[in-house]
Amino acid sequence: SAVYGQGINFKVSNPVAMATALTEFRKSETGKKFPGTMLLNQMMAGGENETTHQLITFFPSAASMDAGAAMTVPENADYMAAYEAVQGASEVVGRNLTRLLRGRGSVSTPGAVTNIIQLEVTDAAAFMEAVDKLWDSKPFKEFPGGVYFGDLMGGGENLTTHFVSFVAPNMEALYQGMDVIRASSDMAEYTKNANSFRNYTGNYVTRTLMRSVGDY
């Protein structure tokens, strides 16, 4: 089943205050009941993107995302304390909604690094046919970490419709896994006609700093 995500990109001026605000929120009564897993990621490589940090909250269903939204309102003192602290420590530079449609392997934990490749799909049928083959290939199955695929809504001026993310325990494993995939005959077959059904819109690397889960 799909996992739903809400992403907020920040230009952070006070990382310690940001991390403290999220920790205090999770310790609050609201935070303990909040139906989502929060990841605070540091942007390691993103081109000219102003993002320094990324907060992604994953929900097990769209209904639980709605339940989380009902908790993050001005009337909730726990939420407002965290909101004001985050606002004072950062500037929001982007927002989006994602769905994880497929996943395999380990998830992001503190210290893990993730390579996220964003795509604009122009021919959905041809794209999914090619992705199905690549997903079942040996390099994808043996990647030393986790591989995830999903779609994106609300990227603003960013034309991204889909993404693939590769999660590894460290940079050495990430480089090794990506090198194997890029050198494979499966990837060569995928890229042969890829320009006819997708365009690249982004490619960046993050490191997970915090992962917090409520008591739900």
Side-chain angles (χ1 to χ4, degrees), residues 98-110:
T98 61
R99 274 189 312 183
L100 292 178
L101 302 175
R102 301 182 185 182
R104 177 190 295 133
S106 60
V107 299
S108 294
T109 54

Side-chain angles (χ1 to χ4, degrees), residues 118 152 154-161 201-202:
Q118 296 181 328
L152 181 146
E157 296 179 2
N158 188 326
L159 298 177
T160 299
T161 60
T201 54

Side-chain angles (χ1 to χ4, degrees), residues 13-69:
S13 56
N14 189 337
V16 174
M18 179 88 163
T20 300
L22 296 176
T23 299
E24 291 302 311
F25 174 72
R26 269 308 196 188
K27 290 165 57 178
S28 70
E29 288 304 310
T30 300
K32 292 176 182 177
K33 300 174 183 177
F34 189 72
T37 298
M38 291 181 172
L39 297 180
L40 178 62
N41 297 329
Q42 177 187 17
M43 182 70 74
M44 298 181 66
E48 298 179 3
N49 193 320
E50 287 188 319
T51 301
T52 63
H53 292 74
Q54 181 186 60
L55 177 64
I56 304 178
T57 306
F58 290 111
F59 299 89
S61 66
S64 64
M65 179 181 284
D66 290 334

Side-chain angles (χ1 to χ4, degrees), residues 32 34 43 79 85 88 105 115 119-120 140 144-145 152 169 181 190 212 214 216:
K32 292 176 182 177
F34 189 72
M43 182 70 74
Y79 165 71
N115 182 196
L119 305 167
E120 176 196 12
F140 263 57
L152 181 146
I181 288 174
Y190 168 83
S212 60
Y216 66 96

